[in-house]
Amino acid sequence: MKNVPIYEALAQAFAAEGVDTHFTLMGDGNMHCVASVTCGPGFTQITTALTVAARGRIPLVVFAGEAPINARWYNQAFDQPPLAAATGAHYISAHSVQRMYQYVREAFYVARHEHKPVVLGVPYDLQKQPLPDLGEYQPSCAVLPARRPIPPDAAQIDALVAKLSQARCPIVLAGRGVMRADAAREVEELAERSGALLATTLLARGMFDHNPFRSSRACSIRAARSMSSTA
């Protein structure tokens, strides 16, 4: 890929990493891009979200515009890396055209494997420069060793089965582990076979909204049935 503006090459690299949804707070520092905020005042608006994501260990990549790298003065200039560090986020200053793809790979690697928010800051004027011929973008998952799931311990499974069989009203509580393993369907099958209700932690809220046996809805249904039977 050559003679493509950096902002366009970055958008394609983000798409190669699997990004299909974006939120944006527009300004001149990110007017060419998506999944982003502009520099200075725009960046300060996401500090609460970054803090929550860092404390919740939520993998999140934010594209942030930066003040033009060659400007002597810029009215939205702001020292963004220290503010990002204060929230617990990882900040990458993408100031080298030759390393632009490496910055993107690093951002998605850190977000996914360290489970934290990452801010990729690219100066406004740098985004408009043509990208050198760096070859085809390789996403972070393509250059990392493939990991295989660890087989469950048979003794733990037997203990779980025994507890479920003895429980009068079991509730399966799903959280980040289920989200990371993409195992919502398997958890629903377990609940259906064992007669358990479904619930989630705050970070996984909404995972079972479609299921009639999520704890709040199922309890309401049971209460309604109980009232009708005694009427």
Side-chain angles (χ1 to χ4, degrees), residues 10 14 37 43 61-66 80 90-94 100 102-108 118-122:
L10 288 174
F14 272 51
V37 293
F43 183 77
V61 175
V62 175
F63 181 95
E66 284 189 1
Q80 296 176 179
H90 181 74
Y91 195 96
I92 301 172
S93 298
M100 200 57 65
Q102 297 177 39
Y103 295 136
V104 178
R105 271 192 294 270
E106 178 187 349
F108 280 89
V118 180
V119 178
L120 180 65
V122 186

Side-chain angles (χ1 to χ4, degrees), residues 127-140:
Q127 298 174 35
K128 297 185 291 184
Q129 293 185 18
L131 185 76
D133 188 4
L134 303 178
E136 198 70 25
Y137 177 79
Q138 296 295 320
S140 56

